Amino acid sequence: MRTLDLANISLAPKVLLHDHLDGGLRPATVLELAEQSGYEGLPAHDVDSLARWFREAADSGSLERYLETFAHTVGVMQTVDALERVARECVADLAADGVVYAEIRYAPEQHLQQGLTLAEVVEAVLRGFADGEAEAAAAGKPITVRCLVTAMRHAARSREIAELAVRYRRRGVVGFDIAGAEAGHPPTRHLDAFEYMRANNAPFTIHAGEAFGLPSIHEAIGFCGTDRLGHGVRVIDDIELPDGTDLAADSFAGATLGDIANIVRDKRIPLELCPSSNVQTGAVASIAEHPFNILARLRFRVTVNTDNRLMSDTTMSNEFLQLSRQFGYGWADFERFTVNAMKSAFIHFDERLAFIDDVIKPGYAVLIG
């Protein structure tokens, strides 16, 4: 069996369902694109200082403050060339980390400041992904990347973005999402978009249960019919544990689940958990107090994700390593979490099965020995 360290974790095949394109730029790319475009708002002007600023600014414990950091990344992603470059580099960075399948999300409506249309934004990102896939394959690191188009929950373009998702679903867009600050912007404000997706047999996920808690999860499931929960970490609020329970235990047999927690587990609704980000936004206090282990041991469909690699200064391998150190997970656990993610992807069943049988299981067999 291979040692469970960062180098070997990077070799493990990984599946990423929740990662924002505008949250994963290389600091050097932000600086170069700012110079090329004349963007003058950056808070630092060398790679190390800028990387540190993003990480520290995101460590506020507030989702709203966390979201403010995106003004700078979105600010330099307003041209076709910039979008193509960021998308291509995203694929390269994920492939280098051992990610074999990823669904990357972004909000097309945020990239129109210099006159691009929604269609031009989507097509630029898709070209960047395709170029990145080709380069990764040539380097011996094959990866498949698909995207989710996101509507901002405080805006009023969600139906339009849902239509965009359906229009491009055979060209690389596999689903729809809403994102942004949860408080004051319930998912039910966007029912027409979700109804459109269901009418067109198209999948969607909803950012819910990160900052706002159980009401957001209830609306996302009961009224909107979401296929997955973006974060969903506050489902823990509907689970009662005996006093003195060790959060790193390997069994939570005494747990009592409420109606919302039961429906999430019973229906196998995937949880797109993002440990480092959940700490940064204040959804949980620390990795040690993250409910990931409780949810995993209770057999919820948990998945491991990065959310925003720049802001959290993280990778999928780093997220796995943190969980291993905190909760004692081994290769078999990470294989299960990866299969969970692949089962939950928005591509077709035969494609998901091929990844599980031909890529994920053989990859972990080598590590487990």
Side-chain angles (χ1 to χ4, degrees):
M1 180 181 293
R2 297 281 187 93
T3 303
L4 211 158
D5 56 21
L6 196 60
N8 282 323
I9 293 174
S10 71
L11 301 176
K14 292 174 283 292
V15 173
L16 175 57
L17 300 180
H18 193 124
D19 187 88
H20 292 263
L21 184 64
D22 52 341
L25 281 71
R26 300 170 182 173
T29 297
V30 177
L31 287 169
E32 291 172 19
L33 291 177
E35 182 177 2
Q36 292 169 11
S37 65
Y39 181 82
E40 297 180 347
L42 293 184
H45 300 283
D46 65 82
V47 170
D48 291 341
S49 297
L50 187 61
R52 184 170 56 254
W53 180 87
F54 274 109
R55 182 176 63 253
E56 292 176 352
D59 276 340
S60 65
S62 160
L63 177 59
E64 288 75 14
R65 179 72 180 92
Y66 181 90
L67 294 174
E68 290 176 11
T69 61
F70 289 87
H72 301 300
T73 55
V74 170
V76 301
M77 295 171 63
Q78 297 297 326
T79 67
V80 165
D81 288 347
L83 289 164
E84 289 182 355
R85 174 179 175 176
V86 169
R88 184 180 68 253
E89 291 180 352
C90 169
V91 177
D93 292 344
L94 295 179
D97 188 42
V99 176
V100 296
Y101 176 82
E103 291 178 4
I104 307 301
R105 62 190 73 192
Y106 64 98
E109 64 193 88
Q110 293 192 307
H111 303 280
L112 310 179
Q113 296 172 14
Q114 294 186 22
L116 294 180
T117 65
L118 292 173
E120 287 171 335
V121 171
V122 172
E123 289 168 10
V125 171
L126 291 174
R127 282 194 300 272
F129 285 161
D131 290 345
E133 287 178 334
E135 292 173 5
K141 289 277 193 177
I143 181 174
T144 297
V145 177
R146 298 293 179 260
C147 71
L148 309 179
V149 289
T150 295
M152 301 309 297
R153 61 200 310 152
H154 61 272
R157 304 190 72 164
S158 54
R159 171 60 184 262
E160 189 178 7
I161 304 303
E163 292 173 355
L164 200 65
V166 171
R167 190 185 321 156
Y168 282 91
R169 67 172 160 186
R170 290 178 178 83
R171 295 178 57 184
V173 177
V174 294
F176 170 71
D177 173 39
I178 62 167
E182 287 183 70
H185 306 287
T188 45
R189 287 185 56 188
H190 305 277
L191 280 176
D192 59 335
F194 302 127
E195 289 169 357
Y196 180 84
M197 294 299 289
R198 289 199 302 271
N200 284 275
N201 303 305
F204 58 92
T205 182
I206 296 176
H207 276 71
E210 181 184 16
F212 197 61
L214 287 176
S216 181
I217 294 175
H218 176 233
E219 288 196 14
I221 297 170
F223 293 94
C224 305
T226 190
D227 296 292
R228 301 194 314 232
L229 287 169
H231 300 287
V233 68
R234 298 317 316 169
V235 73
I236 193 64
D237 295 344
D238 202 36
I239 300 174
E240 184 177 345
L241 299 173
D243 291 342
T245 298
D246 179 4
L247 301 187
D250 58 9
S251 174
F252 296 91
T256 302
L257 277 63
D259 291 340
I260 293 175
N262 267 318
I263 200 69
V264 171
R265 186 171 68 170
D266 292 348
K267 294 184 72 172
R268 316 308 299 144
I269 297 173
L271 299 173
E272 302 165 1
L273 300 172
C274 308
S276 292
S277 174
N278 295 154
V279 174
Q280 286 184 302
T281 62
V284 298
S286 66
I287 294 294
E289 297 173 73
H290 199 290
F292 188 101
N293 188 53
I294 300 169
L295 299 170
R297 302 294 186 188
L298 289 175
R299 307 300 287 190
F300 284 77
R301 185 175 283 186
V302 298
T303 67
V304 182
N305 301 277
T306 50
D307 200 11
N308 298 290
R309 288 168 287 115
L310 171 61
M311 287 69 176
S312 295
D313 188 22
T314 196
T315 62
M316 279 290 284
S317 293
N318 185 61
E319 296 298 302
F320 275 26
L321 183 63
Q322 288 192 78
L323 291 172
S324 176
R325 288 174 172 169
Q326 188 60 53
F327 301 119
Y329 296 141
W331 293 119
D333 297 299
F334 289 133
E335 180 180 21
R336 176 162 66 92
F337 304 153
T338 303
V339 170
N340 279 352
M342 199 67 246
K343 286 180 178 178
S344 308
F346 285 161
I347 54 176
H348 296 304
F349 174 78
D350 57 338
E351 297 173 283
R352 286 180 272 147
L353 193 62
F355 270 104
I356 292 170
D357 289 345
D358 301 338
V359 180
I360 295 169
K361 289 186 175 180
Y364 278 94
V366 170
L367 296 165
I368 294 171

